[in-house]
Amino acid sequence: MLLNADLSMRALVHAANLDWVSSPAKGVERRMLFRIGEEKARATSIVRYAPGSHFARHSHAGGEEFLVLEGTFQDETGDFPAGTYVRNPPGTGHAPGAEAGCTIFVKLWQFRRDDRERIVRRPGEGVSGDLRPGVVTSLELFSGADERVVFEEWGAGATIELPNPKGLELLVLAGDCSDGSEALDGWTWLRLPAGQGLHVRAGPQGTRVWYKLAPLLHADVCDFT
């Protein structure tokens, strides 16, 4: 399967409008945003766990990065409530599930081979960032491996500009914004290739986003074939 596979092109998906697609695990469904491959794939998705659902234990040879959007995600290492950001580097594994149900935003097989640091940021954890014009709060979740991952809140009606020298991915978590031609509402995913800066205006209630500044595909990314 190839979905938004041309990394030289802008991609935008209103994920809240997509149908849920069943996964191999009972009660676990996905909304696919980016995919190269079949069940074993380099992929970015929103994944929903029904209450009591789980995956059998498996490894992440190419790494796994996720953000808990709703509910509480669980595995052998603990419980991860909404707002938690986790990086499980290549070679790690777990048996994930959710007794009460949860929804996560997850990226697979997109780590550099030498990225071996596990990161867990609980809600509110991180490093406070500089406040650009229009930015109310900025919290850096991760910086390293040629990547920078951030939570930000944008003020109501604020004009937001973000340079993009490497590549950018953004997920709208709450509120909305507009790039002048299209509205980006809750769970809208945007990917911009290097050199295409972000220029948006926050909606009347402000906007809360997760974003990553990084090469869209590392030169030494883990091979999933």
Side-chain angles (χ1 to χ4, degrees):
M1 173 186 289
L2 296 177
L3 178 63
N4 291 317
D6 186 347
L7 300 177
S8 69
M9 299 292 293
R10 174 184 184 270
L12 187 145
V13 180
H14 296 285
N17 298 334
L18 297 179
D19 292 332
W20 291 103
V21 177
S22 296
S23 80
K26 183 179 179 181
V28 182
E29 301 173 300
R30 300 174 286 205
R31 286 172 168 165
M32 300 180 185
L33 308 176
F34 159 70
R35 200 169 189 90
I36 300 174
E38 299 306 321
E39 190 53 42
K40 183 180 181 180
R42 182 164 289 130
T44 301
S45 310
I46 290 178
V47 178
R48 179 174 68 179
Y49 287 76
S53 63
H54 60 86
F55 268 104
R57 180 172 178 81
H58 58 275
S59 63
H60 289 292
E64 174 197 52
E65 174 184 18
F66 68 86
L67 170 66
V68 183
L69 301 176
E70 296 177 339
T72 300
F73 178 91
Q74 299 167 302
D75 66 13
E76 305 94 318
T77 65
D79 294 353
F80 305 95
T84 303
Y85 171 73
V86 176
R87 294 174 66 90
N88 289 324
T92 56
H94 60 173
E99 288 305 311
C102 76
T103 305
I104 65 173
F105 169 71
V106 59
K107 296 168 60 65
L108 301 173
W109 287 96
Q110 296 176 56
F111 274 60
R112 279 180 17 176
R113 296 176 189 273
D114 61 353
D115 185 353
R116 299 290 170 170
E117 183 181 10
R118 185 171 189 260
I119 298 291
V120 177
R121 296 283 185 252
R122 302 284 179 175
E125 293 182 343
V127 178
S128 295
D130 294 335
L131 301 183
R132 306 182 316 281
V135 177
V136 178
T137 65
S138 182
L139 191 66
E140 184 178 85
L141 305 174
F142 175 73
S143 181
D146 207 23
E147 302 184 9
R148 182 168 179 260
V149 182
V150 180
F151 274 142
E152 281 191 350
E153 295 185 28
W154 301 338
T159 297
I160 302 295
E161 296 189 2
L162 186 62
N164 174 24
K166 301 176 184 178
L168 181 146
E169 282 189 71
L170 179 144
L171 183 71
V172 177
L173 304 175
D176 63 275
C177 58
S178 173
D179 65 359
S181 61
E182 190 165 6
L184 285 66
D185 51 9
W187 289 8
T188 295
W189 173 76
L190 173 68
R191 186 186 69 206
L192 297 175
Q196 291 190 20
L198 181 73
H199 305 275
V200 295
R201 181 177 293 276
Q205 303 303 316
T207 317
R208 185 161 57 91
V209 301
W210 171 100
Y211 69 81
K212 173 189 281 198
L213 294 168
L216 298 180
L217 191 61
H218 293 294
D220 55 352
V221 69
C222 292
D223 187 6
F224 75 95
T225 57

